[in-house]
mmCIF file of all heavy atoms in Angstrom:
data_model
loop_
_atom_site.group_PDB
_atom_site.id
_atom_site.type_symbol
_atom_site.label_atom_id
_atom_site.label_comp_id
_atom_site.label_asym_id
_atom_site.label_seq_id
_atom_site.Cartn_x
_atom_site.Cartn_y
_atom_site.Cartn_z
ATOM 1 N N TYR A 60 5.465 -35.425 6.922
ATOM 2 C CA TYR A 60 5.137 -36.863 6.882
ATOM 3 C C TYR A 60 5.570 -37.519 8.210
ATOM 4 O O TYR A 60 6.498 -37.028 8.880
ATOM 5 C CB TYR A 60 5.830 -37.591 5.735
ATOM 6 C CG TYR A 60 5.650 -36.943 4.375
ATOM 7 C CD1 TYR A 60 6.726 -36.783 3.523
ATOM 8 C CD2 TYR A 60 4.424 -36.523 3.963
ATOM 9 C CE1 TYR A 60 6.582 -36.238 2.284
ATOM 10 C CE2 TYR A 60 4.248 -35.968 2.692
ATOM 11 C CZ TYR A 60 5.336 -35.821 1.874
ATOM 12 O OH TYR A 60 5.210 -35.276 0.639
ATOM 13 N N PRO A 61 4.924 -38.633 8.560
ATOM 14 C CA PRO A 61 5.422 -39.418 9.677
ATOM 15 C C PRO A 61 6.891 -39.826 9.411
ATOM 16 O O PRO A 61 7.251 -40.062 8.239
ATOM 17 C CB PRO A 61 4.500 -40.634 9.712
ATOM 18 C CG PRO A 61 3.274 -40.188 9.009
ATOM 19 C CD PRO A 61 3.696 -39.200 7.986
ATOM 20 N N HIS A 62 7.674 -39.947 10.440
ATOM 21 C CA HIS A 62 9.099 -40.205 10.327
ATOM 22 C C HIS A 62 9.368 -41.473 9.450
ATOM 23 O O HIS A 62 10.228 -41.443 8.563
ATOM 24 C CB HIS A 62 9.731 -40.339 11.702
ATOM 25 C CG HIS A 62 11.194 -40.593 11.682
ATOM 26 N ND1 HIS A 62 12.107 -39.587 11.241
ATOM 27 C CD2 HIS A 62 11.938 -41.673 12.027
ATOM 28 C CE1 HIS A 62 13.318 -40.113 11.317
ATOM 29 N NE2 HIS A 62 13.246 -41.349 11.801
ATOM 30 N N LYS A 63 8.656 -42.549 9.753
ATOM 31 C CA LYS A 63 8.877 -43.794 8.995
ATOM 32 C C LYS A 63 8.601 -43.626 7.506
ATOM 33 O O LYS A 63 9.319 -44.158 6.691
ATOM 34 C CB LYS A 63 8.046 -44.925 9.572
ATOM 35 C CG LYS A 63 8.555 -45.467 10.874
ATOM 36 C CD LYS A 63 7.750 -46.654 11.334
ATOM 37 C CE LYS A 63 8.290 -47.270 12.578
ATOM 38 N NZ LYS A 63 7.562 -48.466 12.979
ATOM 39 N N LEU A 64 7.563 -42.872 7.188
ATOM 40 C CA LEU A 64 7.206 -42.637 5.792
ATOM 41 C C LEU A 64 8.282 -41.815 5.104
ATOM 42 O O LEU A 64 8.714 -42.166 3.980
ATOM 43 C CB LEU A 64 5.861 -41.936 5.701
ATOM 44 C CG LEU A 64 5.358 -41.617 4.300
ATOM 45 C CD1 LEU A 64 5.255 -42.854 3.449
ATOM 46 C CD2 LEU A 64 4.053 -40.881 4.395
ATOM 47 N N SER A 65 8.728 -40.740 5.732
ATOM 48 C CA SER A 65 9.752 -39.917 5.103
ATOM 49 C C SER A 65 11.058 -40.682 4.964
ATOM 50 O O SER A 65 11.768 -40.519 3.945
ATOM 51 C CB SER A 65 9.978 -38.587 5.858
ATOM 52 O OG SER A 65 10.447 -38.830 7.147
ATOM 53 N N ASP A 66 11.394 -41.569 5.907
ATOM 54 C CA ASP A 66 12.616 -42.393 5.788
ATOM 55 C C ASP A 66 12.491 -43.332 4.610
ATOM 56 O O ASP A 66 13.442 -43.519 3.819
ATOM 57 C CB ASP A 66 12.849 -43.210 7.057
ATOM 58 C CG ASP A 66 13.382 -42.351 8.199
ATOM 59 O OD1 ASP A 66 13.752 -41.175 7.964
ATOM 60 O OD2 ASP A 66 13.446 -42.902 9.327
ATOM 61 N N PHE A 67 11.315 -43.956 4.461
ATOM 62 C CA PHE A 67 11.095 -44.900 3.333
ATOM 63 C C PHE A 67 11.174 -44.134 1.993
ATOM 64 O O PHE A 67 11.769 -44.620 1.057
ATOM 65 C CB PHE A 67 9.753 -45.604 3.483
ATOM 66 C CG PHE A 67 9.405 -46.469 2.333
ATOM 67 C CD1 PHE A 67 10.107 -47.633 2.042
ATOM 68 C CD2 PHE A 67 8.326 -46.144 1.519
ATOM 69 C CE1 PHE A 67 9.776 -48.427 0.981
ATOM 70 C CE2 PHE A 67 8.012 -46.931 0.406
ATOM 71 C CZ PHE A 67 8.729 -48.101 0.163
ATOM 72 N N MET A 68 10.555 -42.972 1.947
ATOM 73 C CA MET A 68 10.592 -42.188 0.708
ATOM 74 C C MET A 68 12.018 -41.750 0.393
ATOM 75 O O MET A 68 12.411 -41.777 -0.785
ATOM 76 C CB MET A 68 9.659 -40.991 0.825
ATOM 77 C CG MET A 68 8.171 -41.369 0.851
ATOM 78 S SD MET A 68 7.070 -40.012 1.219
ATOM 79 C CE MET A 68 7.357 -38.945 -0.144
ATOM 80 N N GLN A 69 12.797 -41.369 1.405
ATOM 81 C CA GLN A 69 14.187 -40.991 1.170
ATOM 82 C C GLN A 69 15.003 -42.144 0.655
ATOM 83 O O GLN A 69 15.779 -42.001 -0.297
ATOM 84 C CB GLN A 69 14.812 -40.439 2.480
ATOM 85 C CG GLN A 69 16.235 -39.930 2.320
ATOM 86 C CD GLN A 69 16.308 -38.674 1.465
ATOM 87 O OE1 GLN A 69 15.543 -37.746 1.665
ATOM 88 N NE2 GLN A 69 17.219 -38.648 0.536
ATOM 89 N N LYS A 70 14.793 -43.321 1.237
ATOM 90 C CA LYS A 70 15.515 -44.539 0.804
ATOM 91 C C LYS A 70 15.118 -44.884 -0.628
ATOM 92 O O LYS A 70 15.942 -45.220 -1.454
ATOM 93 C CB LYS A 70 15.242 -45.694 1.743
ATOM 94 C CG LYS A 70 16.025 -46.925 1.451
ATOM 95 C CD LYS A 70 15.818 -47.978 2.491
ATOM 96 C CE LYS A 70 16.662 -49.226 2.185
ATOM 97 N NZ LYS A 70 16.524 -50.274 3.187
ATOM 98 N N SER A 71 13.826 -44.774 -0.916
ATOM 99 C CA SER A 71 13.340 -45.051 -2.287
ATOM 100 C C SER A 71 13.920 -44.066 -3.309
ATOM 101 O O SER A 71 14.303 -44.487 -4.384
ATOM 102 C CB SER A 71 11.809 -45.003 -2.318
ATOM 103 O OG SER A 71 11.250 -45.958 -1.489
ATOM 104 N N TYR A 72 13.949 -42.807 -2.915
ATOM 105 C CA TYR A 72 14.552 -41.803 -3.798
ATOM 106 C C TYR A 72 16.010 -42.105 -4.083
ATOM 107 O O TYR A 72 16.447 -42.040 -5.245
ATOM 108 C CB TYR A 72 14.391 -40.385 -3.201
ATOM 109 C CG TYR A 72 15.215 -39.377 -3.951
ATOM 110 C CD1 TYR A 72 14.808 -38.927 -5.191
ATOM 111 C CD2 TYR A 72 16.401 -38.892 -3.438
ATOM 112 C CE1 TYR A 72 15.523 -38.020 -5.916
ATOM 113 C CE2 TYR A 72 17.170 -37.946 -4.135
ATOM 114 C CZ TYR A 72 16.730 -37.539 -5.373
ATOM 115 O OH TYR A 72 17.479 -36.636 -6.093
ATOM 116 N N GLU A 73 16.747 -42.417 -3.027
ATOM 117 C CA GLU A 73 18.170 -42.743 -3.244
ATOM 118 C C GLU A 73 18.335 -43.935 -4.161
ATOM 119 O O GLU A 73 19.228 -43.962 -5.040
ATOM 120 C CB GLU A 73 18.872 -42.972 -1.890
ATOM 121 C CG GLU A 73 19.089 -41.717 -1.098
ATOM 122 C CD GLU A 73 19.910 -40.698 -1.832
ATOM 123 O OE1 GLU A 73 20.936 -41.043 -2.488
ATOM 124 O OE2 GLU A 73 19.540 -39.490 -1.775
ATOM 125 N N GLY A 74 17.505 -44.951 -3.992
ATOM 126 C CA GLY A 74 17.552 -46.118 -4.862
ATOM 127 C C GLY A 74 17.266 -45.727 -6.297
ATOM 128 O O GLY A 74 17.976 -46.196 -7.235
ATOM 129 N N LEU A 75 16.234 -44.935 -6.532
ATOM 130 C CA LEU A 75 15.913 -44.500 -7.884
ATOM 131 C C LEU A 75 17.006 -43.649 -8.515
ATOM 132 O O LEU A 75 17.360 -43.804 -9.691
ATOM 133 C CB LEU A 75 14.600 -43.707 -7.897
ATOM 134 C CG LEU A 75 13.329 -44.512 -7.825
ATOM 135 C CD1 LEU A 75 12.134 -43.639 -7.602
ATOM 136 C CD2 LEU A 75 13.145 -45.316 -9.105
ATOM 137 N N ARG A 76 17.580 -42.798 -7.682
ATOM 138 C CA ARG A 76 18.653 -41.902 -8.173
ATOM 139 C C ARG A 76 19.841 -42.740 -8.611
ATOM 140 O O ARG A 76 20.385 -42.535 -9.708
ATOM 141 C CB ARG A 76 19.057 -40.932 -7.076
ATOM 142 C CG ARG A 76 20.017 -39.834 -7.571
ATOM 143 C CD ARG A 76 20.479 -38.922 -6.436
ATOM 144 N NE ARG A 76 21.207 -39.630 -5.391
ATOM 145 C CZ ARG A 76 22.491 -40.070 -5.522
ATOM 146 N NH1 ARG A 76 23.114 -39.865 -6.645
ATOM 147 N NH2 ARG A 76 23.069 -40.675 -4.519
ATOM 148 N N LEU A 77 20.247 -43.702 -7.778
ATOM 149 C CA LEU A 77 21.388 -44.574 -8.118
ATOM 150 C C LEU A 77 21.062 -45.430 -9.343
ATOM 151 O O LEU A 77 21.901 -45.665 -10.176
ATOM 152 C CB LEU A 77 21.791 -45.424 -6.942
ATOM 153 C CG LEU A 77 22.423 -44.631 -5.785
ATOM 154 C CD1 LEU A 77 22.596 -45.534 -4.534
ATOM 155 C CD2 LEU A 77 23.770 -44.029 -6.195
ATOM 156 N N MET A 78 19.842 -45.950 -9.401
ATOM 157 C CA MET A 78 19.455 -46.793 -10.505
ATOM 158 C C MET A 78 19.512 -45.988 -11.801
ATOM 159 O O MET A 78 20.084 -46.421 -12.783
ATOM 160 C CB MET A 78 18.030 -47.318 -10.293
ATOM 161 C CG MET A 78 17.504 -48.148 -11.462
ATOM 162 S SD MET A 78 15.702 -48.373 -11.452
ATOM 163 C CE MET A 78 15.150 -46.746 -11.888
ATOM 164 N N ASN A 79 18.930 -44.760 -11.785
ATOM 165 C CA ASN A 79 18.931 -43.915 -12.995
ATOM 166 C C ASN A 79 20.338 -43.529 -13.373
ATOM 167 O O ASN A 79 20.634 -43.359 -14.582
ATOM 168 C CB ASN A 79 18.052 -42.697 -12.794
ATOM 169 C CG ASN A 79 16.579 -43.034 -12.890
ATOM 170 O OD1 ASN A 79 16.188 -43.971 -13.587
ATOM 171 N ND2 ASN A 79 15.768 -42.289 -12.189
ATOM 172 N N GLN A 80 21.200 -43.354 -12.404
ATOM 173 C CA GLN A 80 22.585 -42.975 -12.683
ATOM 174 C C GLN A 80 23.364 -44.105 -13.282
ATOM 175 O O GLN A 80 24.080 -43.949 -14.263
ATOM 176 C CB GLN A 80 23.239 -42.503 -11.354
ATOM 177 C CG GLN A 80 24.735 -42.171 -11.459
ATOM 178 C CD GLN A 80 25.284 -41.848 -10.059
ATOM 179 O OE1 GLN A 80 24.736 -40.963 -9.383
ATOM 180 N NE2 GLN A 80 26.326 -42.519 -9.698
#
Side-chain angles (χ1 to χ4, degrees):
Y60 308 135
H62 182 67
K63 285 185 176 183
L64 179 60
S65 62
D66 285 350
F67 175 67
M68 290 171 63
Q69 184 67 46
K70 185 175 182 178
S71 298
Y72 169 73
E73 287 302 318
L75 281 170
R76 188 183 63 73
L77 291 171
M78 177 196 72
N79 284 331
Q80 176 184 307

